Amino acid sequence: RRGGRARMSAPPPRNPLSEPCKVSSVSISGNVRTRREVIERELKAAASAKTHQDLVTELSKATERLEALDAFRGTMCDVDAGEEHGSVHVSVYVAEKGTNTLAFQPKVSGEEGMMDVAWVHRNLRGGAEWIKGVLSLGHRGSNAVAVEAVQPYAVGNLTARGRLFHETTDEVLACSYKETKRGFSVSASTPGSPITIAYELCHRAV
């Protein structure tokens, strides 16, 4: 007589990241000059996450957006269990960049060697805005000076950018050509969007 054998299959293990969760509180530290609401703005989606997987994804996106502001040299997020069942507490640590940065960068433009001197001042009013000045000097006589300012979330979620510039391209020795441009440009964009609206007004003399 043949005996039968019953097979029992165990249910697949449940992914703990798919478990529901609720962010009960958020703590932020390390922001000395940056206003708290600037950081909280980037954490809105994470604070409303419904599962642990959603929370991990949104915290990763928030970290990228915070570092894209160019106000922080590093960010870190920790998640701990909250007091209530299924709740979590999120801790965000930020390390701010220096208020002022001075940089020197050699480069080659065409056949001319140039040196860029750039100065950046960050967090003018604690909103992750910054202003940048760049002076470029070439060994053949070309030069440029520009001042640029950026205000994140100037209107709604639009980041506004303005730039004043004066540029001189001197190639008289090579081909008897000299060009001077001066003017300004403004632009607006939203974080994560490839679309930028820009306008430039320029006076050009050759």
Side-chain angles (χ1 to χ4, degrees):
R1 176 175 123 176
R2 291 185 179 177
R5 178 179 296 179
R7 290 187 178 182
M8 298 183 63
S9 59
R14 188 162 183 173
N15 183 0
L17 291 178
S18 65
E19 295 287 339
C21 75
K22 179 182 179 181
V23 178
S24 58
S25 58
V26 177
S27 64
I28 300 173
S29 60
N31 53 316
V32 179
R33 298 179 304 276
T34 308
R35 298 193 303 270
R36 179 184 174 90
E37 58 264 28
V38 173
I39 302 171
E40 289 178 331
R41 181 176 56 208
E42 307 298 346
L43 297 169
K44 286 183 178 179
S48 60
K50 302 301 183 184
T51 67
H52 290 279
Q53 181 62 66
D54 291 341
L55 181 59
V56 170
T57 300
E58 294 301 335
L59 285 178
S60 177
K61 293 179 180 178
T63 299
E64 292 178 359
R65 290 193 297 267
L66 285 170
E67 294 183 353
L69 293 174
D70 198 36
F72 310 106
R73 53 185 173 85
T75 59
M76 183 175 67
C77 301
D78 285 340
V79 179
D80 298 305
E83 296 181 358
E84 299 180 1
H85 176 70
S87 67
V88 296
H89 171 75
V90 177
S91 302
V92 180
Y93 310 90
V94 297
E96 294 179 330
K97 289 185 176 181
T99 305
N100 294 284
T101 301
L102 185 64
F104 300 86
Q105 181 179 2
K107 66 178 183 180
V108 177
S109 178
E111 297 181 355
E112 185 171 16
M114 303 191 72
M115 173 64 74
D116 285 356
V117 182
W119 165 77
V120 180
H121 182 75
R122 299 180 180 86
N123 265 336
L124 295 172
R125 296 181 293 117
E129 60 279 300
W130 52 265
I131 184 169
K132 179 180 182 179
V134 180
L135 174 65
S136 300
L137 298 174
H139 77 283
R140 289 185 175 177
S142 296
N143 61 79
V145 60
V147 178
E148 183 177 8
V150 173
Q151 175 63 66
Y153 298 92
V155 180
N157 64 341
L158 288 177
T159 295
R161 184 185 302 263
R163 182 173 179 264
L164 297 172
F165 60 89
H166 185 285
E167 303 171 358
T168 299
T169 302
D170 192 341
E171 298 182 4
V172 174
L173 296 178
C175 57
S176 301
Y177 176 81
K178 185 174 183 178
E179 177 187 47
T180 300
K181 294 192 300 182
R182 60 179 179 272
F184 72 92
S185 65
V186 292
S187 64
S189 61
T190 56
S193 173
I195 300 176
T196 298
I197 300 173
Y199 174 79
E200 179 176 293
L201 180 64
C202 174
H203 178 272
R204 178 171 176 262
V206 178

